[in-house]
Structure formats: structure tokens, C-alpha cells
Amino acid sequence: MPQVFRPRANALAWTVLIIAAALLVVAVCLAAHYFSSPYYSGVDRTPPQPVPFSHKHHVGELGLDCRYCHTSVEDSSFAGVPESEVCMTCHSQLWTNARLLAPVRDSLKNDRPLRWQRVHDLPDYVHFDHSAHVNHGVPCQACHGRVDEMPLTTQKKTLFMQFCLDCHRNPAPHLRPPDAVFEIGWQPAGVPSEARQRYGERLMARYHTPTTERLTDCSLCHQ
Amino acid sequence: MTLRACRHRRAGTAAALILLSLLLSACEQPDMANQPRLDTYQSDSGFADGMAARPIPEGTVHRDQALNERPTHNPAPINRGTLHRGRQQFEIFCAPCHGRNGSGQGVIVQRGFPAPPSYHLPRLRQASDAHFYDVITHGYGVMYPYASRIRPADRWAIVTYIRALQLSRNARIDDVPEALRPRLREAPP
């Protein structure tokens, strides 16, 4: 019986093995790139809205408090999206004929809510409560970024579980006293960066922040 | 029919049943991130108006709702807590137009909104607490009602804070307890 494999088959076998290994590495790199890309995470996503509302103008330039419109943020899991009546509180007198605001006027006139598109959308298997965070010193900015610099509302954080856990494992550097939670760009006065951790830990004692074990318990968020 | 043929036929039926039962299982994994439930304020809810948030039936009483008439006098105790809360709520909801000092020159007014009267006018210094409460609740002139945005206890806290603002422009040295007066004199103007 003649030889089944010629000498050349050795080289062929190695080539195939090396190509397979290379393809595997490329596949892993591509997957890593994809899952960390803004396309997958939604970072920098700016959903189109019925009215091009600018937080930059209303918060950054006029200095309105977040709670003027998001009234339920301290009492409810949901921060609240303002009724058209809230927009019209000022816009019944200002920019009354602006074409951009026509949907708001029509909404109030016809008693039909505006269809705002959600920018920060967590998966349904996660329970998130706004009140629990802002009442324990977590500033809006920690998850929503500098909305005072956003002409259109954009997602700035990945909102991955890793993002939540980074803070749940060590909340101290993010925490603020109650009066500073809604103040964008706030920094503790007279606290050098190396003392920020200890400053946050003192706040944790004041807020009675749950232990790290509790804060990283699966059932805390996946109820 | 022979015994053999009969057996073949049974096996055929069983195989067909097994294959058919596979059709009963779903083809797709359920989407855990977007579960078939209505989220807060979701649209396309299946209700006639499309809204997931249903209107509150007429006659519904909120569990914290005061069933009595609005009190004629401010029921909020005058203390640090009330003033702190009042200031916080005032600066969120009132200061944009009325200004942080209550003179009626807030940032929205600077942008062209009709200026509200200053709280420091004699007419408003003499107005009752209930007047301010009612204006917050029902609105006044071009001011929209704030009943849906500020809860009753906070409205009273705001009224208390407005009183403090008014007092701040008209305080006399006699109003300060005697023990504290030296400290006031030392304070820079």
C-alpha cells in the first residue's frame, strides 16, 4: 500500500493550524473591539427627539435646577419627564411663535404627550432607583455626564454592569453632600484629591450607605 | 397486515409525533432586556390613547392628600428645617423668575419673561401667607399653577422662606436677641 500523505502534507498541516490560530486571535480581537465600541454600548448615542431640547441652554446657560423638570427624582425610581405644561410655563411667554416649539404647543393644546425618546435605557432585568441614588449622595453627573454642555442629550457612560459595579464596589470618590448632588461640576472645596476617598467615606457614614457586600449583592439590582 | 408492517407503522407515527412536538418549542430566546411589559411613560401601550401611564380616575384620593380645607394660617413650624427646605424649593421653582432675593429679576425675566412684582413691595409684605400659598397652587397672571410640581407641605415651606426674605430687607437691631448683637456688629457689612 502506498503512502497516504506525501512529505508536503506536513507543511500543509502546519499552515492550516497556524491560520486557524491566527483566525481565532483575530476573532477575539474583533469581538473585544465590537463589545467595547460605542456601537454596542450606546456611548455618544443621541436619539432624535420630537423637539431638539438643549440641556446646555436650560441648565448650563439659564442655571435651571434638574428638579425644576425632573420633579420625582427624589421620591421615585423614575426621575420624571416634564409634562408639556412645564415647558409652557416659560414658553407661553418666550419664543411663543418658534417653529421648533410647535410640537410642544400642539401637545398642550390637544392634551397629547410628546414622544420623547429614552436616552439612558437600562435592560429590563435591572432595577434602578433614582431616589435611592440621589438621596445617598450620588450626583446626576455620575451617570448622565455634563448635561450642561450637551446641546442635544447624549449617552456618555456605557451603563454596563462593570460601570455600575465600579461605583458599587467603592462609592466614596463619587459621593457628595446632599446640597451638591444636583450641582454639575461640583468639587469639594479644600479637599485635595488624595483626601477625596476619606471625604467620601465620611459621607458614607452620614448617609448610612450599605456595606460593599450588600451593594454588590446580585439581588440588589437583579430583583 | 403482518406483525412486522404494524410495528413499522407504529414507529413511523412515533417519529412523526416527536418531530411535530419540536415545532411547539419557540424558535427564539425571549428578549430579557426588553420584556413584554409596559415601562414608565411607554407609548404604544395598546390603550386607545397609546399611553402606558393611565389617567387617574376622577375622585381618587391620594393617600397623603389633605382632606380638610386649606388652612388659613401657615401650618409649617418656623425652624431651621422648614427654612432650609423652603429655600431649596424656592431656588428650584421660584428663583428662575422671582430671583434668589425675591426682587422679581430672575434669569428668565432677564430673557424677556414679564417681570413679577417684588416680594418687598408693601402690598406683598402685607399679603397673608395663604395668598402666597394660593398663588403657588393656582398660578397668577402669566404664572402657571405649580400644584402638580410642589407638594402642599413644601408650598408652606416656600411661604415661610419668602417671609424670611421679606424680613431680611426690613430687620432692625431690636429683632436680634440681645446676646447675639455684639456678633452682628463685628460682622463685616
Side-chain angles (χ1 to χ4, degrees):
Chain A
M1 188 174 148
Q3 290 284 337
V4 177
F5 293 110
R6 307 230 175 115
R8 220 173 53 190
N10 273 343
L12 195 68
W14 277 112
T15 314
V16 167
L17 280 176
I18 287 165
I19 287 175
L23 278 177
L24 192 71
V25 170
V26 169
V28 168
C29 288
L30 277 177
H33 189 70
Y34 172 72
F35 286 116
S36 63
S37 69
Y39 176 79
Y40 181 75
S41 68
V43 169
D44 290 332
R45 199 174 56 94
T46 310
Q49 303 289 357
V51 178
F53 177 84
S54 167
H55 278 92
K56 183 182 177 196
H57 173 64
H58 291 86
V59 181
E61 292 164 15
L62 300 180
L64 292 181
D65 193 283
C66 310
R67 292 162 288 184
Y68 188 89
C69 301
H70 304 289
T71 46
S72 60
V73 69
E74 290 179 300
D75 312 309
S76 160
S77 64
F78 191 64
V81 175
E83 306 89 322
S84 304
E85 188 188 316
V86 173
C87 311
M88 292 300 283
T89 304
C90 295
H91 290 295
S92 61
Q93 301 292 325
L94 298 174
W95 300 103
T96 45
N97 290 315
R99 205 151 41 110
L100 281 177
L101 294 175
V104 184
R105 294 192 292 271
D106 293 345
S107 160
L108 189 69
K109 193 167 81 186
N110 305 326
D111 198 22
R112 302 280 300 168
L114 286 166
R115 292 190 176 213
W116 297 107
Q117 299 301 309
R118 195 180 277 272
V119 178
H120 296 83
D121 191 13
L122 291 177
D124 282 356
Y125 47 78
V126 179
H127 175 75
F128 178 84
D129 190 315
H130 273 94
S131 68
H133 287 81
V134 295
N135 292 330
H136 282 78
V138 181
C140 313
Q141 204 185 334
C143 303
H144 296 290
R146 302 242 10 179
V147 295
D148 63 326
E149 294 173 356
M150 295 179 193
L152 294 172
T153 314
T154 301
Q155 182 181 331
K156 282 293 173 194
K157 310 283 177 179
T158 63
L159 307 181
F160 288 161
M161 190 164 123
Q162 178 72 52
F163 170 76
C164 301
L165 279 176
D166 279 346
C167 195
H168 274 229
R169 287 188 179 124
N170 181 23
H174 303 274
L175 299 188
R176 297 183 184 180
D179 284 344
V181 168
F182 297 92
E183 208 175 307
I184 300 180
W186 180 89
Q187 292 287 342
V191 179
S193 56
E194 62 270 19
R196 186 63 177 89
Q197 176 75 21
R198 259 188 60 76
Y199 176 81
E201 280 165 9
R202 280 203 300 276
L203 282 173
M204 285 170 75
R206 202 169 130 195
Y207 283 122
H208 303 293
T209 307
T211 58
T212 312
E213 286 73 35
R214 178 73 190 119
L215 281 179
T216 52
D217 197 329
C218 308
S219 67
L220 188 74
C221 310
H222 303 292
Q223 290 176 342
Chain B
M1 199 186 286
T2 60
L3 189 63
R4 207 167 168 191
C6 189
R7 267 192 194 151
H8 274 165
R9 205 161 175 191
R10 257 201 207 154
T13 316
L17 277 176
I18 288 168
L19 283 174
L20 276 173
S21 71
L22 286 178
L23 289 177
L24 290 174
S25 67
C27 321
E28 210 180 314
Q29 286 283 329
D31 185 358
M32 297 288 281
N34 293 297
Q35 292 165 25
R37 68 170 197 214
L38 294 178
D39 291 330
T40 316
Y41 286 179
Q42 191 175 315
S43 55
D44 305 317
S45 62
F47 288 105
D49 58 7
M51 302 195 305
R54 304 314 303 149
I56 297 166
E58 213 168 312
T60 306
V61 179
H62 188 268
R63 55 187 286 171
D64 293 331
Q65 189 173 327
L67 297 179
N68 308 326
E69 297 270 303
R70 163 185 57 65
T72 47
H73 294 284
N74 189 346
I78 298 178
N79 56 31
R80 209 184 175 82
T82 303
L83 282 172
H84 189 84
R85 180 71 181 169
R87 177 183 181 163
Q88 185 213 58
Q89 295 286 302
F90 178 86
E91 292 188 346
I92 295 170
F93 293 105
C94 316
C97 286
H98 289 276
R100 295 176 85 162
N101 57 13
S103 63
Q105 290 296 321
V107 67
I108 306 299
V109 172
Q110 290 166 32
R111 297 283 174 141
F113 199 91
S118 163
Y119 294 139
H120 308 297
L121 294 176
R123 170 172 72 84
L124 286 177
R125 280 171 49 76
Q126 282 149 24
S128 66
D129 284 356
H131 170 74
F132 290 98
Y133 182 92
D134 288 344
V135 170
I136 299 174
T137 309
H138 305 297
Y140 192 95
V142 294
M143 174 179 158
Y144 271 33
Y146 278 74
S148 65
R149 298 175 237 181
I150 310 175
R151 55 182 64 188
D154 288 340
R155 285 174 231 166
W156 287 119
I158 289 174
V159 173
T160 311
Y161 183 68
I162 291 174
R163 290 300 187 206
L165 280 179
Q166 291 176 330
L167 198 63
S168 73
R169 293 271 178 107
N170 293 277
R172 289 165 307 163
I173 193 75
D174 305 343
D175 298 330
V176 183
E178 206 153 340
L180 293 172
R181 280 181 208 170
R183 268 176 61 189
L184 199 67
R185 289 205 181 89
E186 284 160 24

